[in-house]
Amino acid sequence: MIADIGFYVIAAVIVLGALWAVTAKNILHAAMALITSFFGTAILYLQLSAEFVAVAQVLVYIGGVVIFVIFTILLTTRLGDRADIAPGMRKLLAFALSATLLGTFLHALVRSGVLTSSKQYADPHFASIERIGYRFLDTGTDGMLVPFEIISLLLLISVVGAIVIARKEEK
Amino acid sequence: MTLGYCLGLAFVLFAIGAYGVMTRRHLVGMLISVEIMLNAANINFVSFSYFRPGDATAGPIFTAFVIAIAACEMAVALAIVISMYHRHKSLDIDSLEELHG
């Protein structure tokens, strides 16, 4: 019961943060709202006993991506700039489209019977750091060694690419 | 807290992100909305692996991959944003018409 109330509170925080992030007039406020939403998601991961993902969420998203976004905003916009939101007609259309999307999703959810099915939980250590670490470096049939190495290569490539794209062009 | 409620939360977040992508006219604002959608997908992965454990450890691992790729995407996209700003002094997507056919 306590866990249920906790889930509702966290879900409300996540959804309100996301709503603020997409509707805020000032783009810097949107980035702040994104931090709220991501932090709530990290707490939700803790409730689902996925500690590693929660820590990665805080470190990479809040500590990395959002800070990077804020730096970019400060580099490219004057403070207090209004982030233009599309005119009313387009806003209405976007609202109708995303409401239709949500309706389709929820319809599929209700029809699938997931809402009423019995509970079945993974064992509490399913996402422990030890298990994830062994799985990452396992060379067996269900090991993740090759994707792990490919991701590290991709990170290197994207860092080099970002530097090449962002530097000033020489005449 | 059941699978259904977690999935419902993820769907609501995804719809909010889609709304943001469609209404924002600022490039960074669109990227923020895309991040919200990726976050919704991550919630989906983790809640499925918690409530329907077939191979439960694979869900968080896939989430870690998504987080890593989102970081890559953000790095390249923000580099493009900075380069666009150098060229046009504006990030309003309606004024960035270089790629119009």
Side-chain angles (χ1 to χ4, degrees), chain A residues 3-171:
Chain A
D4 275 348
I5 295 173
F7 171 75
Y8 289 131
V9 172
I10 291 303
V13 168
I14 295 172
V15 169
L16 288 179
L19 271 179
W20 189 21
V22 297
T23 53
K25 287 268 194 296
N26 190 326
I27 201 78
L28 202 57
H29 292 175
M32 296 299 167
L34 195 65
I35 292 182
T36 316
S37 181
F38 281 168
F39 207 78
T41 314
I43 295 173
L44 177 68
Y45 290 152
L46 284 180
Q47 286 186 338
L48 296 172
S49 61
E51 297 94 0
F52 173 73
V53 184
V55 172
Q57 172 94 6
V58 173
L59 282 181
V60 178
Y61 269 133
I62 302 175
V65 170
V66 178
I67 298 301
F68 197 19
V69 167
I70 290 175
F71 265 117
T72 310
I73 293 168
L74 294 181
L75 277 176
T76 56
T77 40
R78 288 163 294 283
L79 273 181
D81 256 9
R82 301 273 122 179
D84 285 333
I85 291 196
M89 187 59 204
R90 214 157 89 185
K91 216 168 168 177
L92 204 68
L93 201 63
F95 183 77
L97 274 173
S98 52
T100 316
L101 189 70
L102 182 61
T104 316
F105 281 156
L106 291 182
H107 181 67
L109 186 67
V110 170
R111 268 183 52 159
S112 69
V114 169
L115 281 171
T116 54
S117 62
S118 62
K119 294 178 182 180
Q120 178 192 7
Y121 299 118
D123 68 309
H125 300 295
F126 79 103
S128 68
I129 293 180
E130 188 188 355
R131 253 196 227 183
I132 287 184
Y134 276 121
R135 190 68 183 277
F136 261 139
L137 299 177
D138 187 5
T139 49
T141 46
D142 57 352
M144 301 275 180
L145 185 62
V146 176
F148 184 69
E149 295 298 336
I150 291 176
I151 287 285
S152 58
L153 199 63
L154 182 72
L155 276 167
L156 179 68
I157 292 170
S158 66
V159 166
V160 174
I163 294 172
V164 169
I165 293 171
R167 75 171 175 192
K168 282 188 179 165
E169 291 158 52
E170 292 158 28
K171 291 277 165 75

Side-chain angles (χ1 to χ4, degrees), chain A residues 4 21 61 76 120 122 135, chain B residues 1 24 35 50-51 55 85:
Chain A
D4 275 348
Y61 269 133
T76 56
Q120 178 192 7
R135 190 68 183 277
Chain B
M1 189 166 69
R24 281 284 187 204
E35 288 299 313
Y50 181 71
F51 290 108
D55 178 5
Y85 183 73

